[in-house]
Amino acid sequence: MPHPQFPRGFLFGTATAAFQIEGSPYADGKKASIWDTFSHKKGKIRTGENADIACDTYLHPERDIDLMVALGMNAYRCSVAWSRVMPDGRGAVNQKGLDYYSRLVDLLLKRGITPFITLYHWDMPQLLEDGLGGFASRETCSLFADYATVVVKALGDRVKDWITLNEPWEHAALGHLLGDHAPGRRNPWTYLKVAHHELLAHGLGMQAIRAASADARVGITLSQTPILPVTDSLADIKAAALGDQFFNDFFLDGVYKGVYPEPLWSRTRLIHPHIGAEDMRIISGKVDFLGLNYYSREYARAAWYVPFLGAWVDEVDTGAGERVVNGYQFTNFNREVYPHGFYERLMYIKDRCGNPPVYITENGASFTDKLEDGQVHDPLRVAFLEGYMGEAANAARDGVDLRGYFIWTLMDNFEWREGYAKRFGLVYVDHATQERVIKDSGYWVREMIRSQKAGA
Ligand code: FCB
């Protein structure tokens, strides 16, 4: 199969998140984040593991960067841990925490790798959770902007591309509605507060970033999961439309239109948070790019027992492990491999949001990888990337303003409640020894980048 071809100047990178790779949760003045706390609670992480070491990146950032160079990457998306920079979440700045990120940026730039920095990838300082309930409180939005100011003032001379928040839906829903992620709440009222406040924090954060660095480019990373009706009954079609608004359009329309979609918004009126007179204007301030995390599609069925939505959304098949269902491969994360949905969603965003510049800030797959004779053969991941990158390249050819692609992820890391059991990396990591081995998919990506005719 020929390699997908992308536009000239395209950025190729991998994405990571601080909590999933750094380890050293209390080094140099850092205090706990909600994930440090949550992952140490009994029964929260399926494997009983924690991220105290993870990929040991805090102590050895060069090792990761050597891998990026070996893979031929020219960009990297990572996140800053708020609790390293401001251990209490507000007030005193921890210079040593800032120094770590400053050094990381220098190391990247020295190797020709452009950093994209996410300011919030779900790791709320524990003290803000304790004092304010994290993003359940409006106050946290302005504290986020203060934190953004500190980071951008320190790094903005070298870092130009900033992402305010990662996947507000997942953080609000998994962390505050379903209780599967930190901080482990289960409350629809809290869910909607957190979702709105995350977007408000994005808007205020964007203003703070621009005030601290005149030539900063700012975006937000949203996940998009197309929701299809499980049958063609009218009730399921309606359920899918609502599901789509709940997962996707709430955030997309908030940011690009300054409104929350109907009928979802009216249906949830009993649990609306306070919306300040300026909130929607702040939320929909002009973004320079959209960060898109895309994995798969899901299915909705009418479900009268689900409050407010009347819909239940799930994978079409709830089995386990790699398998083929109805002709489609599934990953061991129970995601259907359906690359064409990626093309469709990119076109949907182009039409709905006025063809914004888009970076794929995450896309990747977890399969059961085995290290054998110093090699990892992962043909399913290679096929996944061929399919998804091919569809993204088609979308760029058909007019989507696609600028870059960050594969999730550089190396196997701490996959939230799955612990180390789910491997998404282009590089295999033996977490007992920290040995790294580039998988076949990593070599495929290297060749794909080398083959770019337009030049990367
Ligand atoms: C996304 C997260 C990322 C990683 C991938 C697999 O939802 O942003 O941290 O866990 O899923």
Side-chain angles (χ1 to χ4, degrees):
M1 217 196 213
H3 288 122
Q5 296 292 315
F6 292 93
R8 177 178 295 283
F10 203 73
L11 293 183
F12 293 99
T14 54
T16 62
F19 182 76
Q20 296 179 270
I21 63 167
E22 286 179 355
S24 303
Y26 302 106
D28 296 334
K30 182 184 174 297
K31 291 188 184 169
S33 78
I34 54 173
W35 269 99
D36 291 309
T37 309
F38 187 80
S39 56
H40 278 272
K41 280 193 185 152
K42 212 168 171 297
K44 298 297 181 193
I45 307 302
R46 283 198 226 269
T47 57
E49 293 162 318
N50 62 58
D52 289 358
I53 298 177
C55 300
D56 218 8
T57 294
Y58 185 75
L59 297 181
H60 302 285
E62 302 85 351
R63 188 166 51 191
D64 299 355
I65 298 172
D66 287 344
L67 288 171
M68 296 172 212
V69 172
L71 295 174
M73 304 285 175
N74 60 6
Y76 178 51
R77 171 182 179 231
C78 58
S79 78
V80 169
W82 188 341
S83 55
R84 280 196 202 286
V85 172
M86 285 175 143
D88 296 343
R90 59 170 127 199
V93 172
N94 177 31
Q95 190 56 43
K96 283 191 175 160
L98 268 181
D99 289 347
Y100 165 71
Y101 292 108
S102 183
R103 194 169 136 247
L104 178 68
V105 165
D106 286 340
L107 289 169
L108 288 165
L109 291 173
K110 214 166 74 196
R111 310 295 294 275
I113 297 173
T114 302
F116 273 55
I117 294 192
T118 308
L119 288 163
Y120 187 73
H121 199 124
W122 305 349
D123 47 355
M124 178 65 62
Q126 183 64 45
L127 288 170
L128 288 188
E129 177 64 26
D130 296 343
L132 298 171
F135 276 125
S137 161
R138 274 182 84 86
E139 199 181 333
T140 304
C141 305
S142 42
L143 295 176
F144 172 76
D146 295 346
Y147 150 68
T149 303
V150 169
V151 177
V152 176
K153 274 195 174 152
L155 309 181
D157 56 334
R158 289 154 290 155
V159 176
K160 301 302 167 195
D161 296 284
W162 298 95
I163 293 163
T164 51
L165 284 86
N166 178 69
E167 292 189 352
W169 181 83
E170 278 73 3
H171 187 49
L174 303 179
H176 303 80
L177 181 63
L178 301 171
D180 292 335
H181 276 193
R185 295 184 197 281
R186 284 198 183 91
N187 184 325
W189 276 262
T190 315
Y191 164 79
L192 210 53
K193 273 190 204 153
V194 170
H196 177 64
H197 293 157
E198 285 184 281
L199 289 179
L200 185 58
H202 155 73
L204 293 172
M206 192 156 62
Q207 293 176 357
I209 294 168
R210 295 213 173 103
S213 166
D215 57 352
R217 294 177 291 263
V218 194
I220 181 170
T221 279
L222 303 179
S223 65
Q224 290 279 294
T225 307
I227 311 294
L228 283 82
V230 75
T231 72
D232 55 11
S233 78
L234 216 60
D236 287 346
I237 290 173
K238 212 171 131 198
L242 266 174
D244 222 344
Q245 296 192 338
F246 176 63
F247 277 71
N248 304 310
D249 295 342
F250 182 89
F251 300 92
L252 215 51
D253 288 1
V255 169
Y256 281 95
K257 301 182 178 177
V259 292
Y260 292 136
E262 290 294 351
L264 176 73
W265 188 238
S266 302
R267 283 182 81 113
T268 54
R269 65 186 166 277
L270 288 178
I271 55 168
H272 281 180
H274 166 69
I275 309 283
E278 293 297 302
D279 286 10
M280 299 315 291
R281 191 186 57 77
I282 295 169
I283 288 172
S284 59
K286 193 181 170 339
V287 278
D288 296 301
F289 62 85
L290 173 68
L292 172 64
N293 289 0
Y294 188 88
Y295 289 93
S296 192
R297 61 180 177 179
E298 298 204 357
Y299 290 84
R301 67 182 77 247
W304 57 266
Y305 49 85
V306 177
F308 307 109
L309 279 184
W312 184 249
V313 175
D314 218 333
E315 287 84 7
V316 69
D317 181 81
T318 48
E322 287 95 338
R323 63 203 184 280
V324 176
V325 182
N326 302 332
Y328 291 109
Q329 179 69 50
F330 273 64
T331 74
N332 73 4
F333 210 71
N334 207 22
R335 282 177 175 155
E336 184 195 30
V337 180
Y338 179 64
H340 191 60
F342 196 12
Y343 174 90
E344 290 172 340
R345 198 36 60 156
L346 282 161
M347 299 312 263
Y348 176 87
I349 290 167
K350 171 175 175 281
D351 295 341
R352 196 172 181 96
C353 308
N355 201 13
V358 176
Y359 290 92
I360 306 308
T361 43
E362 286 183 29
N363 168 248
S366 150
F367 291 109
T368 308
D369 299 319
K370 292 218 168 50
L371 178 60
E372 280 160 346
D373 301 328
Q375 295 181 323
V376 178
H377 301 304
D378 56 344
L380 292 179
R381 190 175 290 100
V382 172
F384 177 96
L385 291 170
E386 271 178 344
Y388 279 73
M389 296 196 93
E391 291 286 351
N394 290 344
R397 183 202 59 206
D398 292 348
V400 171
D401 187 1
L402 193 64
R403 309 269 177 104
Y405 202 119
F406 297 86
I407 294 167
W408 187 269
T409 176
L410 175 62
M411 58 205 160
D412 299 335
N413 58 39
F414 188 79
E415 180 44 46
W416 309 111
R417 77 172 151 158
E418 307 293 336
Y420 299 102
K422 295 289 185 277
R423 296 178 174 274
F424 277 88
L426 296 180
V427 176
Y428 183 92
V429 179
D430 177 334
H431 290 283
T433 62
Q434 292 296 333
E435 185 195 357
R436 272 103 160 118
V437 176
I438 298 179
K439 301 178 191 176
D440 286 358
S441 55
Y443 291 114
W444 179 86
V445 169
R446 186 182 68 181
E447 291 316 307
M448 184 273 303
I449 296 172
R450 278 188 186 156
S451 80
Q452 294 304 303
K453 300 199 175 55

